[in-house]
Amino acid sequence: MTAQLNPRGDVAVLVPAAGAGVRLGPGGPKALRLLAGEPLLVHAVRRIAAAPSVRLIVVAAPAADVEAVRELLAPVAPVTVVPGGAERQASVAAALAAVAPGPEIVLVHDAARALIPPELVESVAEAVRSGHHAVIPVLPVVDTVKEVDAGERVLGTVDRSALRAVQTPQGFRRSVLAAAHETAGDPLTDDAGLVEKQGVPVVCVPGSELALKITRPFDLALAEHLLAAGA
Ligand code: C5P
């Protein structure tokens, strides 16, 4: 059944889904890889659409697959699909440019984090609504982390208590994200990085293990198990 989005919601969610996904091995764009019989992107969009504050969703798809992605998502939720760019940052910028006037909170969520709980969409949005300009969901780093040189020799041990592993959705006041993308330089791997460069404070909220990034074959197997267990 097609989900209904909330016409009075204050949140737009951008979903960059235009990556090639080579780390998952050969077989097409990562966002279209199957997880329990459905593309990662379908899982992600369905879960985003289940978050009550979401008013619109914009997906950046591989340029060659825009029509196919539109057809794929039509039965899932009302979604705008635009062609992505060569880098993730360009894909996010393309999606942001397609956001209609209205929502003042913009979240950016990687399609590869297909098991995103709707509650995480809401908690990031709520942190922006409460006054923060930029919000990221994070988890503590559990492994000991070493810094190494080009020859894999250890240079030192990093204090992991001060480190956080960063997930998506990352949430922003719309004007803050737009300004960051307007002045963006070299591509970064996340949007909070752009905002940090502008000197805007970025705050952390608790992330979710279910928001894992499905990057390697192991992650896909883990996600299948989590879904089978009711995630
Ligand atoms: O490559 P990486 O794992 O960092 O990709 C994170 C997200 O950004 C994925 O959902 C991917 O589809 C998306 N992406 C994109 N356009 C690109 C590269 C990546 O939308 N050119």
Side-chain angles (χ1 to χ4, degrees):
M1 205 182 71
T2 310
Q4 298 295 310
L5 302 182
N6 177 1
R8 284 188 297 280
D10 57 357
V11 176
V13 185
L14 316 182
V15 186
V22 283
R23 283 165 295 181
L24 268 180
K30 175 162 70 179
L32 303 179
R33 298 299 179 88
L34 298 185
L35 166 61
E38 290 185 305
L40 294 178
L41 180 60
V42 168
H43 289 275
V45 166
R46 187 181 294 126
R47 284 160 182 262
I48 291 166
S53 301
V54 174
R55 171 150 151 195
L56 66 99
I57 301 173
V58 183
V59 171
D65 299 320
V66 169
E67 262 320 307
V69 167
R70 262 185 207 133
E71 278 170 30
L72 182 70
L73 294 177
V76 182
V79 169
T80 303
V81 183
V82 299
E87 308 280 351
R88 180 187 180 283
Q89 194 167 301
S91 298
V92 173
L96 182 60
V99 176
E104 286 308 318
I105 298 172
V106 177
L107 268 51
V108 185
H109 181 67
D110 289 338
R113 298 182 190 272
L115 298 187
I116 165 78
E119 296 78 17
L120 186 58
V121 173
E122 288 300 314
S123 65
V124 170
E126 177 52 30
V128 178
R129 200 175 288 124
S130 74
H132 296 296
H133 284 192
V135 176
I136 58 174
V138 302
L139 291 179
V141 173
V142 291
D143 293 313
T144 295
V145 178
K146 306 281 184 191
E147 191 181 357
V148 298
D149 67 13
E152 288 293 304
R153 262 190 310 257
V154 172
L155 297 173
T157 305
V158 184
D159 174 13
R160 73 177 176 202
S161 70
L163 298 180
R164 300 290 178 269
V166 178
Q167 304 181 318
T168 71
Q170 300 189 344
F172 306 91
R173 274 257 131 238
R174 181 179 184 157
S175 55
V176 167
L177 186 63
H181 273 275
E182 263 161 36
T183 54
D186 289 340
L188 297 177
T189 52
D190 79 342
D191 300 279
L194 289 180
V195 170
E196 284 158 41
K197 280 193 167 176
Q198 303 246 300
V200 175
V202 177
V203 302
C204 300
V205 296
S208 164
E209 282 172 350
L210 283 175
L212 78 152
K213 185 165 164 188
I214 301 171
T215 305
R216 291 155 298 203
F218 176 85
D219 308 320
L220 205 48
L222 176 59
E224 299 257 1
H225 281 287
L226 290 168
L227 266 182

